[in-house]
Amino acid sequence: MLILAGQPPSCSGLRLRNRTSVNEKANISALAALAHPGRMAVFRLLARRTPDTVSAGELTEALELKPSTLSVYLGILTRAGLIQQSRRGRSLHYSIDLALTGSLIEYLVNDCCRGRPELLATLLSQGQPDQALGQKQIFNVLFVCTGNSTRSIFAEAILRAEGGERFRAFSAGTQPRKDLKPLAAEVLRARGHDVSLFYPKSIEVFYELSAPRMDFVFTVCDRAANEECPPLLGQPVTAHWGMSDPGKTEGSAAERALAFKQSYTTMERRLKAFISLPLPSLSRISLQRELDDIGQMLEATKAI
């Protein structure tokens, strides 16, 4: 074929080279790995628990899978590069690979969709919360746990007391208990909170159209983070601040009471760090990193 001077080359050769590139193969492999409801459920749970790692045993229990089935799913996702494996003692733990996941999304947006605005309207609109968050004067914050009877209640009470006029605090449970745990109520009274203001409530309340729109949503127990709840309206910033359940502490009455005090102290430390963040100056990405770091604060070992 005669190619005239200045004539652009055919794209067929470029397409062929792109299709066989390493990145292309990796992205197609990742998409194939996610194209299964069971494997997608594993990936989504790990995404909700980021930056935590999750043990294989916990994944089996949370997703109600047979160990052999989970092993197959984890193997496929690991080979595709979407998740990473690490060992802690005798157990294997897993987490998502944020870099490859980000690369996959970029591939879909820029390569497959060519950045077409009509296909990406929802995604592109997520750039707006960065500006809106910095301009807000009052932030709505929701703390989610399973029973909404201790840890999420502690968080709500602390933020109400420490957040001043900048924050409005709420809490809810995915499976709320009937009442606060007695030891939780004792800690609240000892710290000067009006216990009558706090009670377990269902997260379903916050899906109602009349519910306040949240700016932040924090899961404070692993079981709640493991449950697949639909996202709340308003695109809130989310993070997982997992804490052990003080109600499961075994031992003497003094040891059990101490566990509840330590839980309160840990939540207080995390929320003071959160309150001190310069929210107006942080991008959404920077803010997410700060929130993830706060969630990694070690739990208190001594009550104050």
Side-chain angles (χ1 to χ4, degrees):
M1 180 178 67
L2 177 64
I3 300 179
L4 300 178
Q7 180 179 344
S10 168
C11 287
S12 59
L14 294 176
R15 277 200 300 271
L16 182 59
R17 287 195 293 274
N18 283 339
R19 284 175 183 167
T20 58
S21 70
V22 174
N23 288 340
E24 181 87 355
K25 288 182 177 180
N27 287 321
I28 291 175
S29 176
L31 288 172
L34 292 174
H36 182 279
R39 297 194 294 268
M40 177 62 82
V42 173
F43 183 80
R44 292 173 77 172
L45 189 153
L46 293 175
R48 293 194 298 275
R49 290 287 298 276
T50 299
D52 285 359
T53 62
V54 184
S55 70
E58 188 176 354
L59 288 168
T60 299
E61 180 181 357
L63 297 173
E64 299 181 344
L65 294 171
K66 294 180 180 179
S68 58
T69 301
L70 176 66
S71 179
V72 172
Y73 292 168
L74 291 172
I76 293 172
L77 292 169
T78 301
R79 287 192 294 274
L82 286 165
I83 66 174
Q84 301 169 323
Q85 181 190 89
S86 60
R87 181 174 290 278
R88 290 189 180 182
R90 294 184 177 181
S91 63
L92 294 174
H93 283 240
Y94 298 86
S95 60
I96 67 169
D97 187 318
L98 291 173
L100 192 140
T101 302
S103 175
L104 177 62
I105 294 172
E106 183 178 2
Y107 165 74
L108 291 172
V109 171
N110 294 329
D111 191 301
C112 297
C113 297
R114 291 293 190 267
R116 292 183 65 89
E118 68 271 29
L119 297 176
L120 304 171
T122 301
L123 182 62
L124 294 174
S125 70
Q126 293 180 1
Q128 298 304 316
D130 268 339
Q131 301 175 356
L133 194 62
Q135 295 170 356
K136 291 198 66 169
Q137 300 298 316
I138 300 176
F139 302 96
N140 291 331
V141 185
L142 176 64
F143 301 96
V144 181
C145 199
T146 305
N148 191 212
S149 59
T150 299
R151 289 160 287 182
S152 52
I153 291 289
F154 282 171
E156 179 185 4
I158 294 167
L159 188 58
R160 283 193 185 190
E162 302 288 342
E165 297 181 355
R166 294 178 62 211
F167 300 94
R168 295 176 62 206
F170 306 85
S171 69
T174 56
Q175 302 173 45
R177 289 167 56 95
K178 183 178 179 181
D179 300 298
L180 298 186
K181 291 180 180 178
L183 287 174
E186 287 185 17
V187 171
L188 290 172
R189 291 191 190 95
R191 293 302 186 107
H193 300 285
D194 182 354
V195 177
S196 66
L197 299 176
F198 306 103
Y199 57 92
K201 65 197 75 66
S202 173
I203 193 173
E204 293 180 4
V205 172
F206 296 95
Y207 287 104
E208 297 175 0
L209 293 178
S210 59
R213 293 292 181 266
M214 294 299 149
D215 299 296
F216 298 92
V217 177
F218 301 115
T219 48
V220 295
C221 76
D222 293 346
R223 280 187 61 195
N226 290 348
E227 295 185 49
E228 190 164 329
C229 299
L232 291 169
L233 297 175
Q235 299 178 342
V237 179
T238 64
H240 178 54
W241 288 359
M243 294 173 55
S244 57
D245 183 357
K248 293 184 177 180
T249 302
E250 298 180 354
S252 65
E255 289 171 329
R256 293 195 300 273
L258 178 61
F260 279 80
K261 293 175 184 177
Q262 291 172 344
S263 182
Y264 183 99
T265 298
T266 298
M267 190 62 72
E268 186 176 45
R269 288 170 51 205
R270 291 180 176 180
L271 285 170
K272 285 184 176 180
F274 169 61
I275 291 168
S276 68
L277 292 176
L279 296 180
S281 64
L282 292 175
S283 69
R284 197 176 180 97
I285 293 176
S286 297
L287 177 57
Q288 187 70 65
R289 289 172 180 163
E290 293 283 357
L291 297 179
D292 288 344
D293 287 344
I294 291 173
Q296 295 300 298
M297 284 185 176
L298 296 178
E299 295 189 40
T301 57
K302 291 190 293 185
I304 296 176

